[in-house]
Amino acid sequence: MSEINPYEDYVFSLSDEQFSYLVQAVDKRIDSKLYGVTSFEEAALRYERKPVCPKCGSLSNHEDGYTPGGHKRYRCEDCSCSYTLLSDSIFNSAKISLHKLMSYIQLMSFNVPLQLLCEVLDISSNTSELWRKKIFETVNGYQDHLKLYGTIRIDETYLSDYSILHNQFEKRKRGLSKDLICIVTAIDSYKNMVAIISGHGKPSSKRIKDALESHITEGSTIIHDGDRSHNGLIKKLNCASKVYKADSKDPEYLKYMALINNMHGWLKRYIWRFIGMDINNLQSYLNWFIYLQRCRRDNEKWPKTERILRHLVLTDTRFTRKY
Ligand SMILES: [Zn+2]
C-alpha cells in the first residue's frame, strides 16, 4: 500500500481558481530550487544585467518606484525616459511565466517540433512561434566572434533548398548540386565549431574564404579533402595544409572523420525539423545549433538550461514583430 499523502484531500477540496494559485506557487518553488530565481526580473538581477536606457543607451539613471506590473522602474538621467531592467531584452512585457519558458527552453534544446511544444506546454502556436523567433534573435551574429585554432578540419555539407523544391512552376535545374544549399563547416580539436551558409552548389575559392576567413586563426593547421577551393583560404591565413587520405588505420584520420561526421549528422537531423520553414531563417537555425553544441560541450561546467537562461537575460535585443 502506498503512503498516505496528507495534502491530497486538501488539494481536491480546492476550487479551480484556488488550485491554479497553488500550481503557480508550486512552479515558483520548483524554479527557485532549480534556478535560484522565480521570475525574469530576479534572473536579470542575479546575472547582473545592467539597466541601460533603451532610448539613448545611457547608463546613468535613478530608481523611480515601480511600474503598474510591479517591476522596478529606472529614470534616465540623460533623456528622462523611464524603463525597467528588462526593457531592452526579449522579456520586455513577456506574458509567459518563467516556469513555462524554462520548460520551453528545455524542449527547444532538443529541437522538438513546434506542435509538440504547443501540446506539452498548452500554449498557442502564435506564442510558440513568437518565442522561437525571440530566442533565435538572441543568437543573431553569435558565430561572428567565434575563432577556431590549432588543428582545424574544414568541409562542406549540402542541404536541399526546399524553397526551390516546393516551387512547381520553376523547372528543376539540371545537375542537382545547383539546387543544394552549401554549408561550410569547420571544427577544431577543442570542438569549437562554425557552420556558415555559402550559397548554392559547390563553393568557389572566394566563397570558402568569405565564409571562413574571420573564423580561423592565422597559422593554424587545416585538415581537408584537398579540394582546390580550400587553397585560397589556407594561403591567405598562412595555414599549414594537411590533406587527409582515407585510411581507416590512421587514428588521426579516424578522429577527425568522426568529429566532422558527427557534426554533419547532427546538423542534418537538426535541420530536418525545420522542413517547410522559411529558408531565409536557415542561418538563425545554424547559429542556434552552434550555440547549443557549445552549451552541450560545456555542460559539466555549466548546466545547460541555466546557461541558456543567463544568455537570454543578458542579451540586448528588442524583438519587433515583422509581419
Ligand atoms: Zn536615455
Side-chain angles (χ1 to χ4, degrees):
M1 241 181 73
S2 59
E3 244 177 82
I4 292 163
N5 182 334
Y7 300 102
E8 201 167 297
D9 287 343
Y10 169 70
V11 169
F12 273 90
S13 75
L14 297 173
S15 71
D16 285 351
E17 199 192 3
Q18 289 169 325
F19 179 66
S20 94
Y21 280 124
L22 178 67
V23 170
Q24 280 174 35
V26 168
D27 286 349
K28 279 194 173 182
R29 179 162 173 164
I30 293 171
D31 294 341
S32 166
K33 192 167 177 208
L34 284 177
Y35 314 115
V37 295
T38 63
S39 69
F40 299 125
E41 198 174 23
E42 278 178 37
L45 289 168
R46 180 187 164 119
Y47 296 122
E48 297 176 355
R49 186 181 165 87
K50 303 265 177 301
V52 180
C53 174
K55 216 166 157 190
C56 74
S58 167
L59 269 164
S60 10
N61 59 60
H62 58 270
E63 289 180 17
D64 186 18
Y66 290 86
T67 67
H71 302 295
K72 201 183 241 181
R73 186 161 50 201
Y74 300 87
R75 179 78 57 184
C76 178
E77 303 277 8
D78 291 310
C79 74
S80 74
C81 153
S82 82
Y83 57 94
T84 71
L85 195 51
L86 296 171
S87 282
D88 230 1
S89 77
I90 59 168
F91 301 113
N92 187 31
S93 62
K95 287 178 194 77
I96 199 167
S97 71
L98 174 74
H99 190 75
K100 216 161 236 197
L101 190 81
M102 294 314 281
S103 307
Y104 186 101
I105 291 170
Q106 246 170 337
L107 290 168
M108 191 174 156
S109 69
F110 288 100
N111 301 308
V112 308
L114 279 185
Q115 286 121 305
L116 183 58
L117 274 166
C118 296
E119 189 95 18
V120 172
L121 300 177
D122 190 26
I123 54 178
S124 72
S125 63
N126 276 346
T127 304
S128 181
E129 231 167 276
L130 176 70
W131 277 97
R132 183 157 81 176
K133 282 184 190 158
K134 282 181 180 230
I135 291 171
F136 277 162
E137 190 76 8
T138 69
V139 289
N140 247 349
Y142 176 73
Q143 295 192 68
D144 294 355
H145 68 279
L146 295 182
K147 211 148 185 159
L148 278 48
Y149 58 101
T151 304
I152 304 162
R153 174 82 161 79
I154 68 170
D155 211 343
E156 299 93 39
T157 186
Y158 297 89
L159 296 170
S160 302
D161 182 341
Y162 296 100
S163 65
I164 287 178
L165 296 181
H166 282 170
N167 189 343
Q168 300 170 353
F169 301 103
E170 191 181 332
K171 269 202 184 142
R172 280 287 297 274
K173 296 178 192 100
R174 263 171 188 270
L176 187 68
S177 89
K178 285 205 180 74
D179 285 351
L180 294 177
I181 294 172
C182 173
I183 298 171
V184 176
T185 58
I187 181 168
D188 67 19
S189 31
Y190 310 95
K191 290 194 183 169
N192 297 306
M193 46 181 106
V194 291
I196 313 283
I197 299 177
S198 175
H200 288 82
K202 199 177 162 319
S204 62
S205 182
K206 183 182 183 304
R207 272 167 53 194
I208 294 281
K209 243 193 306 188
D210 290 347
L212 291 180
E213 193 179 335
S214 63
H215 298 294
I216 288 181
T217 310
E218 254 192 275
S220 306
T221 298
I222 305 280
I223 300 188
H224 62 120
D225 61 12
D227 196 280
R228 276 162 56 194
S229 64
H230 302 147
N231 293 346
L233 174 83
I234 292 168
K235 212 172 153 193
K236 180 98 191 268
L237 294 175
N238 292 315
C239 291
S241 163
K242 212 168 158 187
V243 176
Y244 68 75
K245 289 184 207 83
D247 179 0
S248 55
K249 288 198 186 85
D250 178 358
E252 200 179 20
Y253 167 77
L254 289 175
K255 184 182 138 200
Y256 278 99
M257 277 313 279
L259 271 180
I260 207 93
N261 286 345
N262 268 342
M263 181 186 177
H264 287 177
W266 262 100
L267 198 68
K268 288 201 166 168
R269 280 197 298 276
Y270 165 75
I271 292 295
W272 183 81
R273 313 265 185 190
F274 296 106
I275 286 180
M277 295 282 303
D278 188 349
I279 211 79
N280 293 321
N281 294 329
L282 183 60
Q283 191 63 59
S284 299
Y285 308 150
L286 293 179
N287 292 343
W288 176 247
F289 172 81
I290 294 292
Y291 174 70
L292 281 185
Q293 293 293 322
R294 218 172 167 83
C295 291
R296 276 199 195 101
R297 188 194 66 175
D298 302 338
N299 202 20
E300 277 166 26
K301 275 187 277 172
W302 258 109
K304 191 174 65 188
T305 318
E306 202 184 325
R307 175 177 172 160
I308 297 175
L309 175 65
R310 179 177 178 274
H311 160 79
L312 295 180
V313 153
L314 291 181
T315 306
D316 283 334
T317 162
R318 226 165 337 148
F319 182 81
T320 38
R321 278 175 194 253
K322 298 172 203 129
Y323 288 120

Short mmCIF file of all heavy atoms in Angstrom, two decimals, residues 33-73:
data_model
loop_
_atom_site.label_atom_id
_atom_site.label_comp_id
_atom_site.label_asym_id
_atom_site.label_seq_id
_atom_site.Cartn_x
_atom_site.Cartn_y
_atom_site.Cartn_z
N LYS A 33 14.23 26.37 -6.59
CA LYS A 33 15.18 25.31 -6.27
C LYS A 33 16.14 25.06 -7.44
O LYS A 33 17.35 24.91 -7.25
CB LYS A 33 14.41 24.03 -5.94
CG LYS A 33 15.31 23.00 -5.33
CD LYS A 33 14.55 21.87 -4.71
CE LYS A 33 15.56 20.86 -4.18
NZ LYS A 33 15.05 19.51 -4.15
N LEU A 34 15.59 25.04 -8.67
CA LEU A 34 16.41 24.71 -9.83
C LEU A 34 17.31 25.85 -10.27
O LEU A 34 18.46 25.65 -10.62
CB LEU A 34 15.51 24.31 -11.01
CG LEU A 34 14.87 22.94 -10.98
CD1 LEU A 34 13.96 22.76 -12.18
CD2 LEU A 34 15.94 21.84 -10.96
N TYR A 35 16.75 27.07 -10.28
CA TYR A 35 17.49 28.18 -10.89
C TYR A 35 17.82 29.29 -9.90
O TYR A 35 18.46 30.29 -10.25
CB TYR A 35 16.69 28.77 -12.06
CG TYR A 35 16.12 27.71 -12.97
CD1 TYR A 35 14.74 27.54 -13.09
CD2 TYR A 35 16.97 26.87 -13.69
CE1 TYR A 35 14.22 26.54 -13.89
CE2 TYR A 35 16.45 25.87 -14.48
CZ TYR A 35 15.08 25.71 -14.59
OH TYR A 35 14.57 24.71 -15.38
N GLY A 36 17.32 29.17 -8.68
CA GLY A 36 17.57 30.20 -7.67
C GLY A 36 16.76 31.47 -7.88
O GLY A 36 16.98 32.46 -7.19
N VAL A 37 15.84 31.48 -8.83
CA VAL A 37 15.01 32.66 -9.09
C VAL A 37 13.59 32.22 -9.45
O VAL A 37 13.37 31.08 -9.83
CB VAL A 37 15.56 33.52 -10.25
CG1 VAL A 37 16.90 34.12 -9.90
CG2 VAL A 37 15.68 32.71 -11.54
N THR A 38 12.62 33.16 -9.32
CA THR A 38 11.24 32.79 -9.64
C THR A 38 10.63 33.68 -10.73
O THR A 38 9.47 33.51 -11.08
CB THR A 38 10.34 32.88 -8.38
OG1 THR A 38 10.31 34.23 -7.93
CG2 THR A 38 10.85 31.99 -7.28
N SER A 39 11.39 34.65 -11.24
CA SER A 39 10.86 35.50 -12.32
C SER A 39 12.02 35.96 -13.21
O SER A 39 13.18 35.85 -12.83
CB SER A 39 10.16 36.73 -11.73
OG SER A 39 11.12 37.58 -11.15
N PHE A 40 11.66 36.51 -14.38
CA PHE A 40 12.69 37.01 -15.30
C PHE A 40 13.47 38.15 -14.66
O PHE A 40 14.67 38.29 -14.84
CB PHE A 40 12.06 37.49 -16.61
CG PHE A 40 11.34 36.40 -17.34
CD1 PHE A 40 10.00 36.55 -17.71
CD2 PHE A 40 11.98 35.21 -17.66
CE1 PHE A 40 9.33 35.54 -18.38
CE2 PHE A 40 11.32 34.19 -18.33
CZ PHE A 40 9.99 34.36 -18.68
N GLU A 41 12.74 39.00 -13.90
CA GLU A 41 13.41 40.15 -13.28
C GLU A 41 14.44 39.67 -12.25
O GLU A 41 15.56 40.17 -12.20
CB GLU A 41 12.38 41.06 -12.64
CG GLU A 41 12.93 42.45 -12.38
CD GLU A 41 11.86 43.40 -11.86
OE1 GLU A 41 10.85 42.94 -11.29
OE2 GLU A 41 12.08 44.62 -12.01
N GLU A 42 14.05 38.68 -11.45
CA GLU A 42 15.01 38.14 -10.48
C GLU A 42 16.22 37.53 -11.19
O GLU A 42 17.35 37.66 -10.72
CB GLU A 42 14.33 37.05 -9.64
CG GLU A 42 13.51 37.58 -8.49
CD GLU A 42 12.83 36.45 -7.72
OE1 GLU A 42 13.46 35.37 -7.56
OE2 GLU A 42 11.69 36.64 -7.32
N ALA A 43 15.95 36.87 -12.32
CA ALA A 43 17.06 36.29 -13.08
C ALA A 43 17.99 37.38 -13.56
O ALA A 43 19.22 37.26 -13.50
CB ALA A 43 16.52 35.47 -14.25
N ALA A 44 17.40 38.49 -14.05
CA ALA A 44 18.20 39.61 -14.55
C ALA A 44 19.08 40.19 -13.44
O ALA A 44 20.24 40.53 -13.65
CB ALA A 44 17.30 40.69 -15.12
N LEU A 45 18.52 40.28 -12.22
CA LEU A 45 19.29 40.78 -11.09
C LEU A 45 20.39 39.80 -10.72
O LEU A 45 21.54 40.18 -10.48
CB LEU A 45 18.38 41.02 -9.88
CG LEU A 45 17.43 42.22 -10.01
CD1 LEU A 45 16.37 42.20 -8.92
CD2 LEU A 45 18.22 43.53 -9.96
N ARG A 46 20.05 38.53 -10.69
CA ARG A 46 21.02 37.51 -10.31
C ARG A 46 22.22 37.48 -11.25
O ARG A 46 23.36 37.34 -10.83
CB ARG A 46 20.34 36.14 -10.31
CG ARG A 46 21.27 35.02 -9.91
CD ARG A 46 20.58 33.69 -10.12
NE ARG A 46 21.57 32.63 -10.11
CZ ARG A 46 21.60 31.65 -9.23
NH1 ARG A 46 20.69 31.59 -8.30
NH2 ARG A 46 22.53 30.73 -9.30
N TYR A 47 21.95 37.65 -12.55
CA TYR A 47 23.05 37.60 -13.52
C TYR A 47 23.61 38.99 -13.81
O TYR A 47 24.35 39.19 -14.77
CB TYR A 47 22.58 36.92 -14.82
CG TYR A 47 22.20 35.48 -14.59
CD1 TYR A 47 20.94 35.01 -14.89
CD2 TYR A 47 23.13 34.58 -14.04
CE1 TYR A 47 20.58 33.69 -14.67
CE2 TYR A 47 22.78 33.26 -13.81
CZ TYR A 47 21.51 32.81 -14.13
OH TYR A 47 21.17 31.51 -13.89
N GLU A 48 23.21 39.95 -12.98
CA GLU A 48 23.77 41.31 -13.02
C GLU A 48 23.59 42.01 -14.36
O GLU A 48 24.53 42.60 -14.89
CB GLU A 48 25.25 41.29 -12.60
CG GLU A 48 25.38 40.82 -11.16
CD GLU A 48 26.83 40.68 -10.71
OE1 GLU A 48 27.73 40.86 -11.55
OE2 GLU A 48 27.03 40.41 -9.52
N ARG A 49 22.40 41.90 -14.88
CA ARG A 49 22.08 42.69 -16.06
C ARG A 49 22.07 44.17 -15.67
O ARG A 49 21.55 44.54 -14.63
CB ARG A 49 20.70 42.29 -16.60
CG ARG A 49 20.36 42.98 -17.90
CD ARG A 49 18.96 42.61 -18.41
NE ARG A 49 18.58 43.55 -19.44
CZ ARG A 49 18.88 43.41 -20.73
NH1 ARG A 49 19.53 42.34 -21.13
NH2 ARG A 49 18.54 44.33 -21.60
N LYS A 50 22.67 45.00 -16.52
CA LYS A 50 22.75 46.44 -16.21
C LYS A 50 21.53 47.15 -16.76
O LYS A 50 21.13 46.91 -17.90
CB LYS A 50 24.00 47.05 -16.87
CG LYS A 50 25.30 46.40 -16.46
CD LYS A 50 25.95 47.14 -15.31
CE LYS A 50 27.22 46.47 -14.83
NZ LYS A 50 27.05 45.09 -14.36
N PRO A 51 20.95 48.06 -15.96
CA PRO A 51 19.84 48.84 -16.50
C PRO A 51 20.35 49.90 -17.48
O PRO A 51 21.04 50.83 -17.07
CB PRO A 51 19.21 49.48 -15.26
CG PRO A 51 20.23 49.41 -14.19
CD PRO A 51 21.24 48.38 -14.56
N VAL A 52 20.06 49.72 -18.74
CA VAL A 52 20.53 50.64 -19.78
C VAL A 52 19.31 51.29 -20.42
O VAL A 52 18.33 50.62 -20.69
CB VAL A 52 21.32 49.87 -20.88
CG1 VAL A 52 21.81 50.83 -21.96
CG2 VAL A 52 22.49 49.12 -20.27
N CYS A 53 19.40 52.61 -20.64
CA CYS A 53 18.28 53.31 -21.26
C CYS A 53 18.06 52.78 -22.69
O CYS A 53 18.97 52.81 -23.51
CB CYS A 53 18.53 54.81 -21.30
SG CYS A 53 17.26 55.69 -22.22
N PRO A 54 16.86 52.27 -22.98
CA PRO A 54 16.62 51.70 -24.31
C PRO A 54 16.55 52.77 -25.40
O PRO A 54 16.66 52.45 -26.58
CB PRO A 54 15.26 51.00 -24.17
CG PRO A 54 14.60 51.66 -23.02
CD PRO A 54 15.68 52.18 -22.11
N LYS A 55 16.40 54.03 -24.96
CA LYS A 55 16.23 55.10 -25.95
C LYS A 55 17.58 55.70 -26.35
O LYS A 55 17.89 55.85 -27.53
CB LYS A 55 15.33 56.20 -25.37
CG LYS A 55 14.41 56.83 -26.39
CD LYS A 55 13.36 57.63 -25.66
CE LYS A 55 12.78 58.72 -26.55
NZ LYS A 55 11.95 59.64 -25.74
N CYS A 56 18.40 56.05 -25.33
CA CYS A 56 19.66 56.74 -25.66
C CYS A 56 20.89 55.92 -25.28
O CYS A 56 22.01 56.33 -25.54
CB CYS A 56 19.70 58.11 -25.00
SG CYS A 56 19.98 58.05 -23.24
N GLY A 57 20.70 54.77 -24.64
CA GLY A 57 21.83 53.91 -24.31
C GLY A 57 22.61 54.34 -23.08
O GLY A 57 23.63 53.73 -22.75
N SER A 58 22.14 55.37 -22.39
CA SER A 58 22.87 55.87 -21.22
C SER A 58 22.78 54.90 -20.04
O SER A 58 21.78 54.19 -19.87
CB SER A 58 22.30 57.23 -20.81
OG SER A 58 22.78 57.58 -19.53
N LEU A 59 23.84 54.88 -19.24
CA LEU A 59 23.86 54.02 -18.04
C LEU A 59 23.52 54.80 -16.78
O LEU A 59 23.35 54.22 -15.72
CB LEU A 59 25.24 53.38 -17.89
CG LEU A 59 25.45 52.02 -18.56
CD1 LEU A 59 26.93 51.71 -18.67
CD2 LEU A 59 24.74 50.91 -17.80
N SER A 60 23.47 56.17 -16.89
CA SER A 60 23.14 56.91 -15.67
C SER A 60 21.63 56.98 -15.50
O SER A 60 20.89 57.35 -16.41
CB SER A 60 23.73 58.33 -15.69
OG SER A 60 24.24 58.66 -16.93
N ASN A 61 21.22 56.60 -14.31
CA ASN A 61 19.78 56.58 -14.01
C ASN A 61 19.56 56.68 -12.51
O ASN A 61 20.51 56.56 -11.74
CB ASN A 61 19.19 55.26 -14.52
CG ASN A 61 19.86 54.05 -13.89
OD1 ASN A 61 19.84 53.88 -12.66
ND2 ASN A 61 20.49 53.22 -14.71
N HIS A 62 18.34 56.94 -12.10
CA HIS A 62 17.99 56.76 -10.70
C HIS A 62 16.73 55.90 -10.61
O HIS A 62 15.94 55.85 -11.56
CB HIS A 62 17.82 58.09 -9.99
CG HIS A 62 16.77 58.96 -10.62
ND1 HIS A 62 17.06 59.87 -11.62
CD2 HIS A 62 15.44 59.03 -10.39
CE1 HIS A 62 15.94 60.48 -11.99
NE2 HIS A 62 14.95 59.99 -11.27
N GLU A 63 16.59 55.21 -9.48
CA GLU A 63 15.42 54.36 -9.32
C GLU A 63 14.19 55.24 -9.14
O GLU A 63 14.25 56.28 -8.50
CB GLU A 63 15.63 53.43 -8.12
CG GLU A 63 16.68 52.38 -8.47
CD GLU A 63 16.95 51.40 -7.33
OE1 GLU A 63 16.13 51.32 -6.40
OE2 GLU A 63 17.99 50.73 -7.39
N ASP A 64 13.09 54.81 -9.72
CA ASP A 64 11.91 55.66 -9.76
C ASP A 64 10.65 54.82 -9.51
O ASP A 64 9.79 54.67 -10.39
CB ASP A 64 11.86 56.35 -11.14
CG ASP A 64 10.74 57.38 -11.22
OD1 ASP A 64 10.23 57.80 -10.16
OD2 ASP A 64 10.37 57.74 -12.35
N GLY A 65 10.56 54.23 -8.33
CA GLY A 65 9.35 53.47 -7.96
C GLY A 65 9.16 52.21 -8.78
O GLY A 65 10.12 51.61 -9.25
N TYR A 66 7.89 51.85 -8.94
CA TYR A 66 7.58 50.59 -9.63
C TYR A 66 6.55 50.81 -10.74
O TYR A 66 5.75 51.74 -10.67
CB TYR A 66 7.04 49.57 -8.62
CG TYR A 66 8.13 49.09 -7.68
CD1 TYR A 66 8.44 49.80 -6.52
CD2 TYR A 66 8.86 47.94 -7.97
CE1 TYR A 66 9.46 49.38 -5.67
CE2 TYR A 66 9.87 47.51 -7.13
CZ TYR A 66 10.17 48.23 -5.99
OH TYR A 66 11.17 47.81 -5.17
N THR A 67 6.59 49.97 -11.75
CA THR A 67 5.59 50.02 -12.82
C THR A 67 4.29 49.41 -12.28
O THR A 67 4.32 48.70 -11.27
CB THR A 67 6.02 49.20 -14.04
OG1 THR A 67 6.05 47.81 -13.67
CG2 THR A 67 7.39 49.62 -14.54
N PRO A 68 3.15 49.64 -12.97
CA PRO A 68 1.89 49.01 -12.53
C PRO A 68 2.03 47.49 -12.46
O PRO A 68 1.37 46.85 -11.64
CB PRO A 68 0.89 49.40 -13.63
CG PRO A 68 1.45 50.66 -14.24
CD PRO A 68 2.94 50.55 -14.13
N GLY A 69 2.91 46.91 -13.28
CA GLY A 69 3.12 45.46 -13.25
C GLY A 69 4.03 45.01 -12.11
O GLY A 69 4.31 43.82 -11.99
N GLY A 70 4.51 45.97 -11.28
CA GLY A 70 5.32 45.62 -10.12
C GLY A 70 6.81 45.51 -10.40
O GLY A 70 7.56 44.98 -9.60
N HIS A 71 7.24 46.00 -11.58
CA HIS A 71 8.68 45.94 -11.89
C HIS A 71 9.36 47.23 -11.45
O HIS A 71 8.80 48.31 -11.56
CB HIS A 71 8.90 45.75 -13.40
CG HIS A 71 8.26 44.51 -13.92
ND1 HIS A 71 8.65 43.25 -13.53
CD2 HIS A 71 7.24 44.33 -14.79
CE1 HIS A 71 7.89 42.35 -14.15
NE2 HIS A 71 7.02 42.99 -14.91
N LYS A 72 10.58 47.09 -10.99
CA LYS A 72 11.37 48.25 -10.59
C LYS A 72 11.56 49.18 -11.79
O LYS A 72 11.89 48.72 -12.88
CB LYS A 72 12.73 47.77 -10.10
CG LYS A 72 13.43 48.75 -9.20
CD LYS A 72 14.79 48.20 -8.84
CE LYS A 72 14.92 48.01 -7.35
NZ LYS A 72 16.22 47.49 -6.97
N ARG A 73 11.34 50.49 -11.57
CA ARG A 73 11.44 51.42 -12.69
C ARG A 73 12.69 52.29 -12.54
O ARG A 73 13.06 52.70 -11.45
CB ARG A 73 10.19 52.31 -12.73
CG ARG A 73 10.15 53.22 -13.96
CD ARG A 73 8.75 53.73 -14.25
NE ARG A 73 8.15 54.29 -13.05
CZ ARG A 73 6.84 54.45 -12.89
NH1 ARG A 73 6.00 54.08 -13.82
NH2 ARG A 73 6.36 54.97 -11.77
#
